[in-house]
PDB file of all heavy atoms in Angstrom:
ATOM      1  N   ARG A 398      70.501 120.346  46.285  1.00 90.00           N
ATOM      2  CA  ARG A 398      69.071 119.994  46.123  1.00 90.00           C
ATOM      3  C   ARG A 398      68.821 119.185  44.840  1.00 90.00           C
ATOM      4  O   ARG A 398      68.124 118.192  44.813  1.00 90.00           O
ATOM      5  CB  ARG A 398      68.218 121.225  46.097  1.00 90.00           C
ATOM      6  CG  ARG A 398      66.755 120.959  46.267  1.00 90.00           C
ATOM      7  CD  ARG A 398      66.033 122.131  46.856  1.00 90.00           C
ATOM      8  NE  ARG A 398      65.862 123.138  45.844  1.00 90.00           N
ATOM      9  CZ  ARG A 398      65.594 124.395  46.107  1.00 90.00           C
ATOM     10  NH1 ARG A 398      65.464 124.771  47.352  1.00 90.00           N
ATOM     11  NH2 ARG A 398      65.415 125.245  45.148  1.00 90.00           N
ATOM     12  N   MET A 399      69.551 119.607  43.782  1.00 90.00           N
ATOM     13  CA  MET A 399      69.403 118.894  42.486  1.00 90.00           C
ATOM     14  C   MET A 399      69.903 117.470  42.622  1.00 90.00           C
ATOM     15  O   MET A 399      69.352 116.463  42.143  1.00 90.00           O
ATOM     16  CB  MET A 399      70.053 119.623  41.378  1.00 90.00           C
ATOM     17  CG  MET A 399      69.715 119.129  40.062  1.00 90.00           C
ATOM     18  SD  MET A 399      70.812 119.874  38.835  1.00 90.00           S
ATOM     19  CE  MET A 399      72.366 119.364  39.544  1.00 90.00           C
ATOM     20  N   ASP A 400      71.117 117.320  43.282  1.00 90.00           N
ATOM     21  CA  ASP A 400      71.680 115.971  43.468  1.00 90.00           C
ATOM     22  C   ASP A 400      70.681 115.083  44.250  1.00 90.00           C
ATOM     23  O   ASP A 400      70.594 113.906  43.899  1.00 90.00           O
ATOM     24  CB  ASP A 400      73.033 116.084  44.278  1.00 90.00           C
ATOM     25  CG  ASP A 400      74.124 116.625  43.400  1.00 90.00           C
ATOM     26  OD1 ASP A 400      73.949 116.683  42.158  1.00 90.00           O
ATOM     27  OD2 ASP A 400      75.180 116.960  43.945  1.00 90.00           O
ATOM     28  N   CYS A 401      70.036 115.683  45.260  1.00 91.00           N
ATOM     29  CA  CYS A 401      69.089 114.856  46.018  1.00 91.00           C
ATOM     30  C   CYS A 401      67.932 114.390  45.183  1.00 91.00           C
ATOM     31  O   CYS A 401      67.504 113.246  45.286  1.00 91.00           O
ATOM     32  CB  CYS A 401      68.527 115.697  47.216  1.00 91.00           C
ATOM     33  SG  CYS A 401      69.776 115.973  48.477  1.00 91.00           S
ATOM     34  N   ILE A 402      67.401 115.268  44.347  1.00 90.00           N
ATOM     35  CA  ILE A 402      66.331 114.915  43.467  1.00 90.00           C
ATOM     36  C   ILE A 402      66.742 113.813  42.480  1.00 90.00           C
ATOM     37  O   ILE A 402      66.071 112.810  42.305  1.00 90.00           O
ATOM     38  CB  ILE A 402      65.747 116.141  42.748  1.00 90.00           C
ATOM     39  CG1 ILE A 402      65.088 117.071  43.680  1.00 90.00           C
ATOM     40  CG2 ILE A 402      64.739 115.721  41.612  1.00 90.00           C
ATOM     41  CD1 ILE A 402      64.623 118.423  43.094  1.00 90.00           C
ATOM     42  N   VAL A 403      67.880 113.926  41.868  1.00 90.00           N
ATOM     43  CA  VAL A 403      68.358 112.969  40.939  1.00 90.00           C
ATOM     44  C   VAL A 403      68.553 111.640  41.606  1.00 90.00           C
ATOM     45  O   VAL A 403      68.191 110.574  41.063  1.00 90.00           O
ATOM     46  CB  VAL A 403      69.670 113.421  40.194  1.00 90.00           C
ATOM     47  CG1 VAL A 403      70.326 112.309  39.403  1.00 90.00           C
ATOM     48  CG2 VAL A 403      69.393 114.639  39.359  1.00 90.00           C
ATOM     49  N   GLN A 404      69.140 111.684  42.788  1.00 91.00           N
ATOM     50  CA  GLN A 404      69.297 110.412  43.572  1.00 91.00           C
ATOM     51  C   GLN A 404      67.956 109.738  43.859  1.00 91.00           C
ATOM     52  O   GLN A 404      67.843 108.495  43.690  1.00 91.00           O
ATOM     53  CB  GLN A 404      69.978 110.733  44.925  1.00 91.00           C
ATOM     54  CG  GLN A 404      71.453 110.250  44.944  1.00 91.00           C
ATOM     55  CD  GLN A 404      72.075 110.704  46.249  1.00 91.00           C
ATOM     56  OE1 GLN A 404      71.439 110.610  47.275  1.00 91.00           O
ATOM     57  NE2 GLN A 404      73.292 111.281  46.142  1.00 91.00           N
ATOM     58  N   ALA A 405      67.035 110.505  44.314  1.00 91.00           N
ATOM     59  CA  ALA A 405      65.691 109.968  44.620  1.00 91.00           C
ATOM     60  C   ALA A 405      65.078 109.388  43.347  1.00 91.00           C
ATOM     61  O   ALA A 405      64.470 108.286  43.397  1.00 91.00           O
ATOM     62  CB  ALA A 405      64.773 111.064  45.240  1.00 91.00           C
ATOM     63  N   GLN A 406      65.191 110.062  42.242  1.00 92.00           N
ATOM     64  CA  GLN A 406      64.598 109.588  40.982  1.00 92.00           C
ATOM     65  C   GLN A 406      65.251 108.317  40.536  1.00 92.00           C
ATOM     66  O   GLN A 406      64.596 107.416  40.018  1.00 92.00           O
ATOM     67  CB  GLN A 406      64.752 110.675  39.891  1.00 92.00           C
ATOM     68  CG  GLN A 406      63.855 111.878  40.153  1.00 92.00           C
ATOM     69  CD  GLN A 406      64.045 112.941  39.109  1.00 92.00           C
ATOM     70  OE1 GLN A 406      65.042 112.982  38.410  1.00 92.00           O
ATOM     71  NE2 GLN A 406      63.086 113.826  38.998  1.00 92.00           N
ATOM     72  N   THR A 407      66.548 108.220  40.724  1.00 92.00           N
ATOM     73  CA  THR A 407      67.271 107.005  40.305  1.00 92.00           C
ATOM     74  C   THR A 407      66.808 105.827  41.149  1.00 92.00           C
ATOM     75  O   THR A 407      66.558 104.762  40.621  1.00 92.00           O
ATOM     76  CB  THR A 407      68.826 107.208  40.440  1.00 92.00           C
ATOM     77  OG1 THR A 407      69.170 108.408  39.763  1.00 92.00           O
ATOM     78  CG2 THR A 407      69.561 106.042  39.821  1.00 92.00           C
ATOM     79  N   ALA A 408      66.676 106.066  42.491  1.00 92.00           N
ATOM     80  CA  ALA A 408      66.275 104.975  43.366  1.00 92.00           C
ATOM     81  C   ALA A 408      64.828 104.571  43.055  1.00 92.00           C
ATOM     82  O   ALA A 408      64.515 103.387  43.009  1.00 92.00           O
ATOM     83  CB  ALA A 408      66.374 105.485  44.822  1.00 92.00           C
ATOM     84  N   ALA A 409      63.979 105.577  42.784  1.00 91.00           N
ATOM     85  CA  ALA A 409      62.594 105.242  42.507  1.00 91.00           C
ATOM     86  C   ALA A 409      62.480 104.492  41.167  1.00 91.00           C
ATOM     87  O   ALA A 409      61.695 103.538  41.068  1.00 91.00           O
ATOM     88  CB  ALA A 409      61.743 106.579  42.366  1.00 91.00           C
ATOM     89  N   ALA A 410      63.285 104.837  40.203  1.00 90.00           N
ATOM     90  CA  ALA A 410      63.267 104.134  38.929  1.00 90.00           C
ATOM     91  C   ALA A 410      63.668 102.681  39.070  1.00 90.00           C
ATOM     92  O   ALA A 410      63.121 101.810  38.440  1.00 90.00           O
ATOM     93  CB  ALA A 410      64.129 104.846  37.929  1.00 90.00           C
ATOM     94  N   ARG A 411      64.642 102.469  39.966  1.00 91.00           N
ATOM     95  CA  ARG A 411      65.090 101.122  40.189  1.00 91.00           C
ATOM     96  C   ARG A 411      64.031 100.255  40.826  1.00 91.00           C
ATOM     97  O   ARG A 411      63.942  99.092  40.575  1.00 91.00           O
ATOM     98  CB  ARG A 411      66.350 101.107  41.039  1.00 91.00           C
ATOM     99  CG  ARG A 411      67.555 100.584  40.266  1.00 91.00           C
ATOM    100  CD  ARG A 411      68.771 100.516  41.159  1.00 91.00           C
ATOM    101  NE  ARG A 411      69.684 101.580  40.783  1.00 91.00           N
ATOM    102  CZ  ARG A 411      70.158 102.465  41.681  1.00 91.00           C
ATOM    103  NH1 ARG A 411      69.774 102.457  42.925  1.00 91.00           N
ATOM    104  NH2 ARG A 411      70.995 103.374  41.285  1.00 91.00           N
ATOM    105  N   SER A 412      63.210 100.871  41.772  1.00 88.00           N
ATOM    106  CA  SER A 412      62.283 100.056  42.533  1.00 88.00           C
ATOM    107  C   SER A 412      60.900 100.038  41.894  1.00 88.00           C
ATOM    108  O   SER A 412      60.070  99.255  42.331  1.00 88.00           O
ATOM    109  CB  SER A 412      62.215 100.556  43.956  1.00 88.00           C
ATOM    110  OG  SER A 412      61.728 101.876  43.950  1.00 88.00           O
ATOM    111  N   ALA A 413      60.640 100.878  40.904  1.00 90.00           N
ATOM    112  CA  ALA A 413      59.316 100.854  40.276  1.00 90.00           C
ATOM    113  C   ALA A 413      59.094  99.568  39.466  1.00 90.00           C
ATOM    114  O   ALA A 413      60.049  99.072  38.849  1.00 90.00           O
ATOM    115  CB  ALA A 413      59.152 102.048  39.308  1.00 90.00           C
ATOM    116  N   ARG A 512      54.637 117.161  44.774  1.00 91.00           N
ATOM    117  CA  ARG A 512      56.041 116.995  45.316  1.00 91.00           C
ATOM    118  C   ARG A 512      56.457 115.528  45.212  1.00 91.00           C
ATOM    119  O   ARG A 512      57.573 115.282  44.806  1.00 91.00           O
ATOM    120  CB  ARG A 512      56.067 117.469  46.792  1.00 91.00           C
ATOM    121  CG  ARG A 512      56.548 118.913  46.902  1.00 91.00           C
ATOM    122  CD  ARG A 512      57.023 119.188  48.328  1.00 91.00           C
ATOM    123  NE  ARG A 512      56.003 118.820  49.344  1.00 91.00           N
ATOM    124  CZ  ARG A 512      54.956 119.586  49.691  1.00 91.00           C
ATOM    125  NH1 ARG A 512      54.773 120.750  49.082  1.00 91.00           N
ATOM    126  NH2 ARG A 512      54.146 119.182  50.584  1.00 91.00           N
ATOM    127  N   GLU A 513      55.558 114.660  45.591  1.00 93.00           N
ATOM    128  CA  GLU A 513      55.876 113.223  45.603  1.00 93.00           C
ATOM    129  C   GLU A 513      56.175 112.750  44.141  1.00 93.00           C
ATOM    130  O   GLU A 513      57.153 111.962  43.950  1.00 93.00           O
ATOM    131  CB  GLU A 513      54.663 112.476  46.113  1.00 93.00           C
ATOM    132  CG  GLU A 513      54.696 110.955  46.054  1.00 93.00           C
ATOM    133  CD  GLU A 513      55.611 110.370  47.146  1.00 93.00           C
ATOM    134  OE1 GLU A 513      55.997 111.112  48.045  1.00 93.00           O
ATOM    135  OE2 GLU A 513      55.876 109.211  47.042  1.00 93.00           O
ATOM    136  N   LEU A 514      55.477 113.277  43.152  1.00 94.00           N
ATOM    137  CA  LEU A 514      55.724 112.953  41.784  1.00 94.00           C
ATOM    138  C   LEU A 514      57.111 113.348  41.315  1.00 94.00           C
ATOM    139  O   LEU A 514      57.651 112.738  40.380  1.00 94.00           O
ATOM    140  CB  LEU A 514      54.610 113.547  40.950  1.00 94.00           C
ATOM    141  CG  LEU A 514      54.584 113.193  39.394  1.00 94.00           C
ATOM    142  CD1 LEU A 514      54.351 111.708  39.215  1.00 94.00           C
ATOM    143  CD2 LEU A 514      53.538 114.026  38.692  1.00 94.00           C
ATOM    144  N   MET A 515      57.573 114.446  41.930  1.00 91.00           N
ATOM    145  CA  MET A 515      58.960 114.900  41.518  1.00 91.00           C
ATOM    146  C   MET A 515      60.062 113.858  41.725  1.00 91.00           C
ATOM    147  O   MET A 515      61.096 113.938  41.188  1.00 91.00           O
ATOM    148  CB  MET A 515      59.333 116.148  42.371  1.00 91.00           C
ATOM    149  CG  MET A 515      58.482 117.330  42.068  1.00 91.00           C
ATOM    150  SD  MET A 515      59.415 118.570  41.197  1.00 91.00           S
ATOM    151  CE  MET A 515      60.574 119.084  42.473  1.00 91.00           C
ATOM    152  N   ASN A 516      59.729 112.869  42.622  1.00 91.00           N
ATOM    153  CA  ASN A 516      60.703 111.768  42.887  1.00 91.00           C
ATOM    154  C   ASN A 516      60.734 110.766  41.742  1.00 91.00           C
ATOM    155  O   ASN A 516      61.512 109.895  41.756  1.00 91.00           O
ATOM    156  CB  ASN A 516      60.325 111.045  44.169  1.00 91.00           C
ATOM    157  CG  ASN A 516      60.635 111.907  45.374  1.00 91.00           C
ATOM    158  OD1 ASN A 516      61.508 112.713  45.422  1.00 91.00           O
ATOM    159  ND2 ASN A 516      59.835 111.723  46.434  1.00 91.00           N
ATOM    160  N   TYR A 517      59.842 110.960  40.761  1.00 93.00           N
ATOM    161  CA  TYR A 517      59.875 110.079  39.565  1.00 93.00           C
ATOM    162  C   TYR A 517      60.120 110.838  38.338  1.00 93.00           C
ATOM    163  O   TYR A 517      59.474 111.922  38.115  1.00 93.00           O
ATOM    164  CB  TYR A 517      58.502 109.339  39.461  1.00 93.00           C
ATOM    165  CG  TYR A 517      58.207 108.407  40.614  1.00 93.00           C
ATOM    166  CD1 TYR A 517      57.665 108.860  41.780  1.00 93.00           C
ATOM    167  CD2 TYR A 517      58.514 107.103  40.514  1.00 93.00           C
ATOM    168  CE1 TYR A 517      57.394 108.086  42.865  1.00 93.00           C
ATOM    169  CE2 TYR A 517      58.285 106.165  41.592  1.00 93.00           C
ATOM    170  CZ  TYR A 517      57.728 106.729  42.750  1.00 93.00           C
ATOM    171  OH  TYR A 517      57.538 105.832  43.806  1.00 93.00           O
ATOM    172  N   SER A 518      61.042 110.391  37.583  1.00 91.00           N
ATOM    173  CA  SER A 518      61.385 111.061  36.293  1.00 91.00           C
ATOM    174  C   SER A 518      61.017 110.165  35.142  1.00 91.00           C
ATOM    175  O   SER A 518      61.468 108.963  35.016  1.00 91.00           O
ATOM    176  CB  SER A 518      62.888 111.342  36.260  1.00 91.00           C
ATOM    177  OG  SER A 518      63.303 111.423  34.930  1.00 91.00           O
ATOM    178  N   LEU A 521      63.933 108.552  33.379  1.00 88.00           N
ATOM    179  CA  LEU A 521      64.686 107.438  34.002  1.00 88.00           C
ATOM    180  C   LEU A 521      63.827 106.172  34.115  1.00 88.00           C
ATOM    181  O   LEU A 521      64.411 105.112  34.280  1.00 88.00           O
ATOM    182  CB  LEU A 521      65.123 107.938  35.383  1.00 88.00           C
ATOM    183  CG  LEU A 521      66.150 109.077  35.510  1.00 88.00           C
ATOM    184  CD1 LEU A 521      66.406 109.417  36.921  1.00 88.00           C
ATOM    185  CD2 LEU A 521      67.378 108.682  34.818  1.00 88.00           C
ATOM    186  N   LEU A 522      62.514 106.340  33.991  1.00 88.00           N
ATOM    187  CA  LEU A 522      61.698 105.121  34.181  1.00 88.00           C
ATOM    188  C   LEU A 522      61.727 104.273  32.878  1.00 88.00           C
ATOM    189  O   LEU A 522      61.707 104.827  31.808  1.00 88.00           O
ATOM    190  CB  LEU A 522      60.284 105.464  34.511  1.00 88.00           C
ATOM    191  CG  LEU A 522      60.007 105.789  35.974  1.00 88.00           C
ATOM    192  CD1 LEU A 522      58.600 106.302  36.160  1.00 88.00           C
ATOM    193  CD2 LEU A 522      60.214 104.611  36.887  1.00 88.00           C
TER     194      LEU A 522
END
Side-chain angles (χ1 to χ4, degrees):
R398 193 154 75 198
M399 194 191 54
D400 286 347
C401 290
I402 292 174
V403 171
Q404 252 175 45
Q406 289 178 340
T407 309
R411 243 183 255 126
S412 63
R512 264 199 306 279
E513 174 77 11
L514 185 63
M515 293 251 292
N516 288 330
Y517 294 84
S518 152
L521 295 176
L522 278 175

